[in-house]
Amino acid sequence: MTDNHSWPALSPLATGLAARCPRCGKGRLLEKVLDVRARCDVCGLDLSNHDSGDGPAVFVILFLGAVVVGLAIALEVAFAPPMWIHAAVWIPLISGLSIVLLRLFKGVLIALHYRNLRHEYGDGC
Ligand SMILES: [Zn+2]
């Protein structure tokens, strides 16, 4: 399908943040919420063996943890609310932002992986 096609060099940041295929920039990279598609539906790039593993989770834990702990301390110092307020505020916020950030980081890491280790995708160099 794509053997003799030359693909333009795409920005890993742009394709990753948009969760698009790192080769063509048009096909969707993720299905359901966080699963990597087996194959790009536009260019046919095999993505089945190139999940980003725990890399995105590490970045999300570090980034979101620092931000939320800082905000929780600020809320506690400013208003000293009961614990159920903390639970009602932080659990939904952490859950929602984790999913959003995991999609972004996963897309960028897979795009960077494709750009720097293209031969592992059977795409030549
Ligand atoms: Zn593609």
mmCIF file of all heavy atoms in Angstrom, residues 7 20-28 39-45 47, ligand 1:
data_model
loop_
_atom_site.group_PDB
_atom_site.id
_atom_site.type_symbol
_atom_site.label_atom_id
_atom_site.label_comp_id
_atom_site.label_asym_id
_atom_site.label_seq_id
_atom_site.Cartn_x
_atom_site.Cartn_y
_atom_site.Cartn_z
ATOM 1 N N TRP A 7 6.896 9.980 2.529
ATOM 2 C CA TRP A 7 6.059 10.703 3.477
ATOM 3 C C TRP A 7 6.779 11.953 3.935
ATOM 4 O O TRP A 7 7.983 11.925 4.153
ATOM 5 C CB TRP A 7 5.735 9.820 4.672
ATOM 6 C CG TRP A 7 4.983 8.603 4.262
ATOM 7 C CD1 TRP A 7 5.484 7.357 4.071
ATOM 8 C CD2 TRP A 7 3.600 8.522 3.943
ATOM 9 N NE1 TRP A 7 4.505 6.510 3.669
ATOM 10 C CE2 TRP A 7 3.323 7.196 3.579
ATOM 11 C CE3 TRP A 7 2.558 9.444 3.934
ATOM 12 C CZ2 TRP A 7 2.055 6.778 3.214
ATOM 13 C CZ3 TRP A 7 1.297 9.015 3.579
ATOM 14 C CH2 TRP A 7 1.059 7.697 3.218
ATOM 15 N N ARG A 20 -2.569 11.881 16.005
ATOM 16 C CA ARG A 20 -2.623 11.445 14.608
ATOM 17 C C ARG A 20 -1.438 10.548 14.300
ATOM 18 O O ARG A 20 -0.437 10.540 15.009
ATOM 19 C CB ARG A 20 -2.609 12.659 13.673
ATOM 20 C CG ARG A 20 -3.823 13.524 13.805
ATOM 21 C CD ARG A 20 -5.050 12.773 13.370
ATOM 22 N NE ARG A 20 -6.267 13.503 13.675
ATOM 23 C CZ ARG A 20 -7.471 13.012 13.472
ATOM 24 N NH1 ARG A 20 -7.628 11.802 12.975
ATOM 25 N NH2 ARG A 20 -8.531 13.704 13.784
ATOM 26 N N CYS A 21 -1.549 9.829 13.229
ATOM 27 C CA CYS A 21 -0.494 8.920 12.795
ATOM 28 C C CYS A 21 0.814 9.689 12.610
ATOM 29 O O CYS A 21 0.818 10.742 11.976
ATOM 30 C CB CYS A 21 -0.916 8.271 11.482
ATOM 31 S SG CYS A 21 0.388 7.359 10.654
ATOM 32 N N PRO A 22 1.932 9.161 13.125
ATOM 33 C CA PRO A 22 3.200 9.891 13.004
ATOM 34 C C PRO A 22 3.758 9.900 11.583
ATOM 35 O O PRO A 22 4.618 10.710 11.272
ATOM 36 C CB PRO A 22 4.133 9.141 13.955
ATOM 37 C CG PRO A 22 3.544 7.795 14.089
ATOM 38 C CD PRO A 22 2.063 7.957 13.931
ATOM 39 N N ARG A 23 3.282 9.032 10.705
ATOM 40 C CA ARG A 23 3.809 9.007 9.338
ATOM 41 C C ARG A 23 3.013 9.918 8.403
ATOM 42 O O ARG A 23 3.587 10.745 7.724
ATOM 43 C CB ARG A 23 3.813 7.581 8.781
ATOM 44 C CG ARG A 23 4.364 7.526 7.376
ATOM 45 C CD ARG A 23 4.753 6.149 6.945
ATOM 46 N NE ARG A 23 3.610 5.280 6.752
ATOM 47 C CZ ARG A 23 3.717 4.009 6.387
ATOM 48 N NH1 ARG A 23 4.902 3.477 6.174
ATOM 49 N NH2 ARG A 23 2.652 3.272 6.240
ATOM 50 N N CYS A 24 1.705 9.775 8.367
ATOM 51 C CA CYS A 24 0.903 10.559 7.419
ATOM 52 C C CYS A 24 0.266 11.793 8.072
ATOM 53 O O CYS A 24 -0.083 12.743 7.376
ATOM 54 C CB CYS A 24 -0.172 9.685 6.789
ATOM 55 S SG CYS A 24 -1.460 9.131 7.937
ATOM 56 N N GLY A 25 0.087 11.779 9.388
ATOM 57 C CA GLY A 25 -0.521 12.906 10.078
ATOM 58 C C GLY A 25 -2.021 12.998 9.894
ATOM 59 O O GLY A 25 -2.638 13.974 10.328
ATOM 60 N N LYS A 26 -2.623 11.998 9.262
ATOM 61 C CA LYS A 26 -4.062 12.070 8.996
ATOM 62 C C LYS A 26 -4.849 11.005 9.742
ATOM 63 O O LYS A 26 -5.941 11.275 10.226
ATOM 64 C CB LYS A 26 -4.314 11.941 7.500
ATOM 65 C CG LYS A 26 -3.738 13.107 6.732
ATOM 66 C CD LYS A 26 -3.911 12.937 5.236
ATOM 67 C CE LYS A 26 -3.272 14.126 4.520
ATOM 68 N NZ LYS A 26 -3.075 13.881 3.112
ATOM 69 N N GLY A 27 -4.327 9.792 9.791
ATOM 70 C CA GLY A 27 -5.053 8.711 10.460
ATOM 71 C C GLY A 27 -5.022 8.876 11.966
ATOM 72 O O GLY A 27 -4.118 9.499 12.530
ATOM 73 N N ARG A 28 -6.015 8.326 12.623
ATOM 74 C CA ARG A 28 -6.073 8.421 14.083
ATOM 75 C C ARG A 28 -5.081 7.440 14.709
ATOM 76 O O ARG A 28 -4.939 6.314 14.261
ATOM 77 C CB ARG A 28 -7.478 8.144 14.576
ATOM 78 C CG ARG A 28 -8.434 9.285 14.229
ATOM 79 C CD ARG A 28 -9.810 9.055 14.762
ATOM 80 N NE ARG A 28 -10.395 7.917 14.029
ATOM 81 C CZ ARG A 28 -11.429 7.221 14.446
ATOM 82 N NH1 ARG A 28 -11.994 7.518 15.579
ATOM 83 N NH2 ARG A 28 -11.906 6.223 13.736
ATOM 84 N N ARG A 39 -3.118 -0.415 13.330
ATOM 85 C CA ARG A 39 -2.649 0.039 12.021
ATOM 86 C C ARG A 39 -3.327 1.369 11.692
ATOM 87 O O ARG A 39 -4.492 1.561 12.017
ATOM 88 C CB ARG A 39 -3.023 -1.028 10.986
ATOM 89 C CG ARG A 39 -2.562 -0.793 9.599
ATOM 90 C CD ARG A 39 -2.764 -2.042 8.740
ATOM 91 N NE ARG A 39 -1.923 -3.155 9.173
ATOM 92 C CZ ARG A 39 -0.647 -3.315 8.833
ATOM 93 N NH1 ARG A 39 -0.078 -2.444 8.042
ATOM 94 N NH2 ARG A 39 0.041 -4.350 9.270
ATOM 95 N N CYS A 40 -2.594 2.253 11.053
ATOM 96 C CA CYS A 40 -3.183 3.520 10.615
ATOM 97 C C CYS A 40 -4.201 3.230 9.524
ATOM 98 O O CYS A 40 -3.907 2.510 8.574
ATOM 99 C CB CYS A 40 -2.096 4.459 10.095
ATOM 100 S SG CYS A 40 -2.758 5.981 9.378
ATOM 101 N N ASP A 41 -5.382 3.797 9.641
ATOM 102 C CA ASP A 41 -6.419 3.542 8.655
ATOM 103 C C ASP A 41 -6.250 4.364 7.383
ATOM 104 O O ASP A 41 -6.985 4.178 6.423
ATOM 105 C CB ASP A 41 -7.814 3.751 9.262
ATOM 106 C CG ASP A 41 -7.969 5.096 9.949
ATOM 107 O OD1 ASP A 41 -6.998 5.864 9.973
ATOM 108 O OD2 ASP A 41 -9.065 5.366 10.470
ATOM 109 N N VAL A 42 -5.290 5.269 7.334
ATOM 110 C CA VAL A 42 -5.053 6.068 6.127
ATOM 111 C C VAL A 42 -3.835 5.547 5.355
ATOM 112 O O VAL A 42 -3.932 5.241 4.178
ATOM 113 C CB VAL A 42 -4.862 7.559 6.488
ATOM 114 C CG1 VAL A 42 -4.463 8.372 5.274
ATOM 115 C CG2 VAL A 42 -6.139 8.108 7.112
ATOM 116 N N CYS A 43 -2.686 5.417 6.022
ATOM 117 C CA CYS A 43 -1.466 5.019 5.318
ATOM 118 C C CYS A 43 -1.084 3.562 5.573
ATOM 119 O O CYS A 43 -0.193 3.038 4.909
ATOM 120 C CB CYS A 43 -0.304 5.927 5.697
ATOM 121 S SG CYS A 43 0.283 5.721 7.385
ATOM 122 N N GLY A 44 -1.695 2.908 6.520
ATOM 123 C CA GLY A 44 -1.417 1.504 6.775
ATOM 124 C C GLY A 44 -0.208 1.240 7.653
ATOM 125 O O GLY A 44 0.234 0.104 7.768
ATOM 126 N N LEU A 45 0.363 2.249 8.280
ATOM 127 C CA LEU A 45 1.518 2.058 9.156
ATOM 128 C C LEU A 45 1.166 1.107 10.294
ATOM 129 O O LEU A 45 0.157 1.296 10.976
ATOM 130 C CB LEU A 45 1.969 3.402 9.725
ATOM 131 C CG LEU A 45 3.121 3.362 10.734
ATOM 132 C CD1 LEU A 45 4.395 2.862 10.053
ATOM 133 C CD2 LEU A 45 3.342 4.732 11.339
ATOM 134 N N LEU A 47 1.241 -0.081 13.772
ATOM 135 C CA LEU A 47 1.500 0.513 15.079
ATOM 136 C C LEU A 47 1.361 -0.496 16.201
ATOM 137 O O LEU A 47 1.472 -0.160 17.378
ATOM 138 C CB LEU A 47 0.517 1.668 15.330
ATOM 139 C CG LEU A 47 0.617 2.840 14.377
ATOM 140 C CD1 LEU A 47 -0.647 3.673 14.434
ATOM 141 C CD2 LEU A 47 1.826 3.687 14.706
HETATM 142 ZN ZN ZN B 1 -0.879 7.045 8.761
#
